[in-house]
Amino acid sequence: PVNVEIVGSGQVSAALGKQFKVQMVIAGLIALLAVAGMIFYRYREKRVVLPMITTSLSEVVMMLGIWSLAGWQLDLASLAGIIMVIGTGVDQLVIITDELIRGGEASALERSIKERAAEAAAKAGTAIAPTSSKVYLGRLSRAFSIILGAAATTVVAMLPLLYMGFGALTGFALIIILGVFLGVAIARPAYGRIIGHILGTS
């Protein structure tokens, strides 16, 4: 129940909008290459880079697909939300990878035992078995406990923006919540299985 004062208005021509679209694709590719470079720098393992980048891209495709089917408008705030989902998604994929590679503090003893067993097996001329499925599931469950806590915090933080109706911020909150649910329900479990198979822990 207050007066509305128009501060300003503007429009973007079709040609300029097309240019923005091309620039956005170029910026996305540059960001993708930067993320891939950082992942490779962290793990020094090419087999980790492709699944992580592919999982992030699949999340974007799923979000855009649902957004399109629902007929919602994709504005700048929604694009910012997609970027945020990608960033948090890569963070969570790093958590999963770290747990499966390093196994956290609890697996330090396991690694020490495995190293001694590998030396003994080498002397005896026998092969050592890969990490068991039970250990793999334990490490994955530790990673998912962290991820679920972070996802719940993000959703709760976005709910006020979603229900208070601040115009463009509603789309921002909605696509982040959508991305969090898709990530936790589909992308993270799929990545856990893929990276576990690649690293020989599943």
Side-chain angles (χ1 to χ4, degrees), residues 11-53:
Q11 63 181 11
V12 177
S13 66
L16 192 57
K18 185 177 181 180
Q19 182 181 350
F20 286 163
K21 184 168 66 174
V22 173
Q23 291 175 346
M24 186 179 69
V25 171
I26 294 173
L29 290 175
I30 293 173
L32 186 64
L33 291 174
V35 169
M38 290 302 297
I39 294 169
F40 179 74
Y41 178 76
R42 176 178 177 82
Y43 295 110
R44 308 290 185 179
E45 179 61 64
K46 292 183 288 187
R47 295 178 301 168
V48 176
V49 175
L50 185 60
M52 199 174 286
I53 297 301

Side-chain angles (χ1 to χ4, degrees), residues 132-144:
S132 67
S133 178
K134 185 176 181 181
V135 174
Y136 161 77
L137 291 176
R139 294 176 181 178
L140 198 60
S141 66
R142 282 198 301 268
F144 267 90

